[in-house]
Amino acid sequence: MADLASPQTGTPVDPANWTCPAPIRDQPVVVMGHGGGGALSAELVHDVFAAAYGNPVLAGMGDSAVLHLGGVRLAFSTDSHVVRPLFFPGGSLGDLAVNGTVNDLAMSGARPACLSAAFVLEEGTELAVVDRVAQAMGAAAEAAGVTVVTGDTKVVESGHGDGVYVTTAGIGLVPEGVDIRPQRARPGDAVIVSGPIGLHGIAVLSVREGLEFGAEVTSDTAPLADLVAAMLDVTRDIHVLRDPTRGGLAASLNEIARASGTGVKLYERSLPVPEAVANACGFLGLDPLYVANEGRLVAFVPPAHADAVLAAMQAHPQGTGAAIVGECVAEHPGMVVVATGLGGTRVVDLPLGEQLPRIC
Amino acid sequence: MADLASPQTGTPVDPANWTCPAPIRDQPVVVMGHGGGGALSAELVHDVFAAAYGNPVLAGMGDSAVLHLGGVRLAFSTDSHVVRPLFFPGGSLGDLAVNGTVNDLAMSGARPACLSAAFVLEEGTELAVVDRVAQAMGAAAEAAGVTVVTGDTKVVESGHGDGVYVTTAGIGLVPEGVDIRPQRARPGDAVIVSGPIGLHGIAVLSVREGLEFGAEVTSDTAPLADLVAAMLDVTRDIHVLRDPTRGGLAASLNEIARASGTGVKLYERSLPVPEAVANACGFLGLDPLYVANEGRLVAFVPPAHADAVLAAMQAHPQGTGAAIVGECVAEHPGMVVVATGLGGTRVVDLPLGEQLPRIC
C-alpha cells in the first residue's frame, strides 16, 4: 500500500505508450487508490465501467457530461462524498456535496440549476449530525444558487457505513457557443489557476490526524459557477476548465495533456502555494501539486484573451488570487513538466493512487 | 427495534391529524426504519431535509421531480442502492441501480434518457464482483434504452461499506400534456396494478436468510418506461403512477391517499399475490401489501379509460398480469382500506419502518 499512496511513481511517463505500472487486472481486489482520481481510478473506469456500459459521452471524460436533450444542451454530473471527518476547518461534507457537483457542472461552462441528494446513513448515527450536514447543504445550495429537487435515503447497519455518505447529481444549462472540454487544450494557451492551492487537503488532514502547522489551514470549498460566468463574459472561447480535486493540480493537468495530446509546462515560482501548505507538505513529505482543492479551478485560455480573463478572475471574490502558472506547449505531448526555480525541469506524473484517502 | 419492523402499527390512522407514533425527534439516532420508505422516512425528510433545503419541487413528493429547464420539461430522480446480498434470484444490485431510477422517471410519465452512476466501493472487495455489477448495469441500461453518461468512484476502508453501493440519478423528458403526480388521484379512479406483487422482497429475503418456500421466488426487477409509454398511447390523462418498492403497495397507496386527500379501497380477492409469496408471507408473518416490488407499478386511471389502459397493459410484456385491484374513493380521505373476502374491511396503515431492511 505504501507504493500506491506515494505522490509520484518516480518514473517518467511515456505518453505514446502509457500503461499503468500496476494494472488493476493484476490486483484482484479494490484498494484505496482506486478512489484516488489517479491512474488506478482511470484504469478502473476504462477496464470495468467503460467496458460494461461505455458510450461517446461517457468517454468524453469531462468533469460533467454534456448532452443534447429536447433541443437544449445540458450538463449532468455526479459525485459521491465520503470525506472523513464530516466536519473540518472551513467546511463539511454538506458543503462538498453541493459545491463538488456545482463545480463539476461549471467546468463545462454550465449554469448549475438543480441537484439531487441521496443519503446512505449508518444506523446509530446521531440525527443531530445528519441535521448539521443537511443544514450545511441548504446553506451551500443557497450560496450557489441551486435547488435540491429530489432525493433518497437508505440506512445500513452499524459497521457498514461511516455516519453519512451523500451522493449528489446535478443538471445545468450550457450557454450557446460554449465548448469547454479537456480535448480543446492548444499549444499557446495560458494555464491560469484561480487561487492558492492545497488548502482543502491539508485542512482535512490536519484535523483528521490531529496535526498543527502553525496557522490553522482552512478548506477552500466554494462554488465556482459565478466565477466561470464572469470569465465567459470576457470570452466564450475558453478551451478547458477543471477543478483540481482528488489528485490535485497534477492529476487534472495530466488528464488534460493526455486528452488533448498537448504538453503542459508550469512555472514553479508562479504556483500559488500558501506558506502553511508548503510547511505542512514539507513536514509530511507531500507535494502541493497533488493535494486536493475544492474551490479552485484551472483554465486553459487562448493567449489573446488570457490577460482579460485573468483580470476578470482577480476582480471576482473567488478569483482574487488568480495567477498564470504555466502554458500549454507542443513539446512532450501528454506530459506535464514544471520549470524549477533552479533552471531545470521535472516531470509531474499522473498520480497512481492518492496521497490522502477520503478527502472528499 | 421489533416495533419498528412490524408491518403495521396496529392502530388506525386519523388522516386529519396524522402524527408519527414514534417521532424521530424523540429518537436521537438513525434507526433502520429511517430507510424503510414508511412513516419514519417521511418524518426524516420533512423534519431534516425539507427543513434544511425545502422548495416546492422537492415538496411534490413524486418518485421523480419534474422541472422546467431551458424550455423543456425534465424529470430528475436519484436512488442509492445498498441491497444485500448483491446478487439474488432474478437480478442484482446492478439491475436495481438502473431499473430503480428508470422506473422513478417513468412514474412521472417521462421517457428516461440518461443516467449517472456513482460507486462507493469497500476496500478489499473483489474486482470481479465490481465487474459483475457493472456488467449487469450495462445490460439493464441497454434493455431500458438509456445510457450511463457520467459517474464517480470513491473507496472507503474495509469495515465502512458493504462491497458495493451504487447511487444512480437519471434525466428523462416528460411528453406534452402529461401531468402525473400523486396529488391528481380522484374519487372514481380505477386502481390498477401491473402484475403479481411481493416477488422482489421475498426473493431477496429467501437468499439472504437461506429460506426455501417450495418454488424459487424470482425478483420482478424490470424497466417500466416502455409499459408507461404504451399506457400513455391510450390516454395522456393518467392521474397517478407509482412503483411500489420499499414499503410495498401499502406505502405507495398511503402516500397517494395523503397527497391527494382521497381514500383508497382495495378488493382483497383481486390482489395478485403469487402462491409462493403468500406461502412465504404466511410462514414469516409478513403482509404481501408491505413487501417490496422492483418491476411493478400502480396506476390511478379515470374510469372512462380504465378498461382500455388495462387492455394495453395486459398486451405488454411487463403488464401481462395487470389487474384492477381497487378504486379511489371520497370516503376516509388519506386512508387505505381493503375489503376482505369475508365482507369486512381493514385499514392498511402507512408502515412505520420497514419489514425487510436493505431490500434495494
Side-chain angles (χ1 to χ4, degrees), chain B residues 73-145:
Chain B
R73 278 175 83 209
L74 298 178
F76 184 33
S77 188
T78 190
D79 264 333
S80 286
H81 299 273
V82 299
V83 66
R84 194 166 64 164
L86 298 177
F87 307 95
F88 45 81
S92 71
L93 173 72
D95 297 291
L96 297 188
V98 170
N99 292 338
T101 292
V102 162
N103 291 349
D104 281 346
L105 296 172
M107 294 309 115
S108 56
R111 275 286 191 183
C114 59
L115 301 184
S116 63
F119 291 77
V120 176
L121 304 178
E122 185 180 12
E123 184 189 17
T125 304
E126 286 180 32
L127 281 167
V129 169
V130 182
D131 197 48
R132 276 182 72 192
V133 170
Q135 292 289 337
M137 289 177 65
E142 188 170 346

Side-chain angles (χ1 to χ4, degrees), chain B residues 110-207:
Chain B
R111 275 286 191 183
C114 59
L115 301 184
S116 63
F119 291 77
V120 176
L121 304 178
E122 185 180 12
E123 184 189 17
T125 304
E126 286 180 32
L127 281 167
V129 169
V130 182
D131 197 48
R132 276 182 72 192
V133 170
Q135 292 289 337
M137 289 177 65
E142 188 170 346
V146 295
T147 48
V148 181
V149 294
T150 189
D152 184 46
T153 311
K154 295 293 193 309
V155 178
V156 294
E157 300 85 355
S158 181
H160 289 289
D162 209 354
V164 185
Y165 298 149
V166 181
T167 302
T168 47
I171 306 177
L173 277 176
V174 184
E176 278 302 306
V178 170
D179 180 20
I180 297 174
R181 49 193 167 87
Q183 292 81 3
R184 289 196 69 217
R186 289 287 172 275
D189 285 354
V191 176
I192 308 177
V193 167
S194 66
I197 64 171
L199 291 165
H200 176 72
I202 298 300
V204 172
L205 188 69
S206 65
V207 61

Side-chain angles (χ1 to χ4, degrees), chain A residues 27-30 35 52-53 55 70 72 79-80 84 118 124-125 127 134 148 152-155 157 159-161 165 246 358, chain B residues 27-30 35 52 55 70 72 79-80 84 118-119 124-125 127 134 148 152-155 157 159-161 165 246 358:
Chain A
Q27 304 183 24
V29 300
V30 172
Y53 46 74
N55 57 75
V72 299
D79 263 333
S80 286
R84 192 165 68 161
T125 304
L127 281 167
V148 182
D152 185 45
T153 310
K154 294 293 193 308
V155 178
E157 300 86 354
H160 289 290
Y165 298 148
R246 291 176 295 177
R358 296 190 56 187
Chain B
Q27 303 184 23
V29 300
V30 172
N55 56 74
V72 299
D79 264 333
S80 286
R84 194 166 64 164
F119 291 77
T125 304
L127 281 167
V148 181
D152 184 46
T153 311
K154 295 293 193 309
V155 178
E157 300 85 355
H160 289 289
Y165 298 149
R246 292 176 294 176
R358 298 189 54 187

Side-chain angles (χ1 to χ4, degrees), chain A residues 198 201-203 205-206 211-215 217 273-288 291:
Chain A
I202 297 300
L205 188 69
S206 65
L211 301 173
E212 292 189 20
F213 309 109
V217 178
V273 182
E275 193 181 340
V277 170
N279 289 344
C281 285
F283 179 71
L284 296 165
L286 303 175
D287 183 333
V291 179

Side-chain angles (χ1 to χ4, degrees), chain A residues 189-191 253 257 262-268 271 300 324-332 335-340 343-346 348:
Chain A
D189 286 355
V191 177
L253 293 176
T262 67
V264 176
K265 183 176 182 180
L266 296 174
Y267 321 132
E268 189 174 63
L271 289 167
F300 282 54
I324 294 177
V325 298
E327 62 191 300
C328 187
V329 295
E331 298 84 53
H332 50 81
M335 195 179 294
V336 179
V337 303
V338 58
T340 66
T345 60
R346 64 180 171 93
V348 180

